[in-house]
Amino acid sequence: MNLRVVLVSPRNPLNIGAAARAMSNFGVLELRLVNPYNVAFLEAKSAVKSQGILANAREFETIADAVADCSLIVGTTSIGPRALEHPLRRLETGGRIIAKRLASAPVALLFGSEKFGLSNEDMSYCHWLMRIPTREEHGSMNLGQAVAVCLYEIMRNPAAVRAKPEAKR
């Protein structure tokens, strides 16, 4: 699978564990962490049956290093009080584009910290941004939930299924 989940400055080990569990659910095995708040993520109890993803997670000091091998970098955002300088796509549209790209090249899907999301500087590494359609009054989701919803939308696309390597027997 050519999809890399990149968590930028994640703060809560439980959220990191929940993201790892969602990744395992959908067969996305490459977790990258940029400047994680605490290395205790390796013991995240919410990573049920996903400890391998946490054990193999790679840590990076910068986003540039974390996405250097990716041909498409997509940031997630709840928009909030900022002016966006990148194209913004809804999850269902972005999911289809990502699924198609996975067949030919690595894709990085960036998620920001639970407290602040992706900064404008973080977003500068992205080709475009993707938003989960939520109600305006409560626009952001929990990190683990956002990872799960995005991966579901990507993996339900037949193009993503074709991009997955066949299981070894």
Side-chain angles (χ1 to χ4, degrees):
M1 170 64 64
N2 277 328
L3 185 58
R4 287 95 161 105
V5 171
V6 181
L7 305 182
V8 180
S9 301
R11 301 176 59 83
N12 185 325
L14 294 175
N15 286 333
I16 298 168
R21 183 170 183 176
M23 291 173 63
S24 180
N25 288 142
F26 295 104
V28 177
L29 305 179
E30 191 161 347
L31 175 60
R32 297 179 177 189
L33 303 163
V34 177
N35 192 25
Y37 183 69
N38 189 339
V39 294
F41 69 85
L42 293 173
E43 313 234 344
K45 294 182 182 5
S46 54
V48 176
K49 297 184 181 179
S50 309
Q51 286 78 15
I53 290 173
L54 291 178
N56 293 317
R58 295 174 56 199
E59 289 187 61
F60 296 87
E61 288 186 25
T62 68
I63 293 174
D65 292 337
V67 301
D69 64 338
C70 298
S71 69
L72 176 63
I73 301 140
V74 178
T76 57
T77 184
S78 64
I79 301 176
R82 67 179 81 197
L84 299 180
E85 297 179 10
H86 292 74
L88 178 66
R89 294 184 169 99
R90 282 176 51 114
L91 176 60
E92 58 274 21
T93 303
R96 283 193 302 273
I97 295 167
I98 292 169
K100 288 177 187 170
R101 181 65 78 89
L102 290 174
S104 60
V107 175
L109 186 57
L110 275 62
F111 295 87
S113 79
E114 300 93 318
K115 194 165 186 168
F116 304 109
L118 293 173
S119 70
N120 287 337
E121 181 181 342
D122 298 338
M123 289 183 204
S124 72
Y125 293 94
C126 299
H127 293 100
W128 45 270
L129 303 172
M130 186 166 65
R131 182 177 188 285
I132 299 169
T134 57
R135 70 187 185 104
E136 189 175 316
E137 296 83 7
H138 201 166
S140 68
M141 294 181 73
N142 169 276
L143 177 59
Q145 293 172 331
V147 170
V149 169
C150 288
L151 294 181
Y152 167 78
E153 187 63 36
I154 293 165
M155 300 312 294
R156 75 185 191 99
N157 191 297
V161 174
R162 287 191 297 274
K164 290 179 80 170
E166 292 194 25
K168 295 178 183 176
R169 294 181 185 218

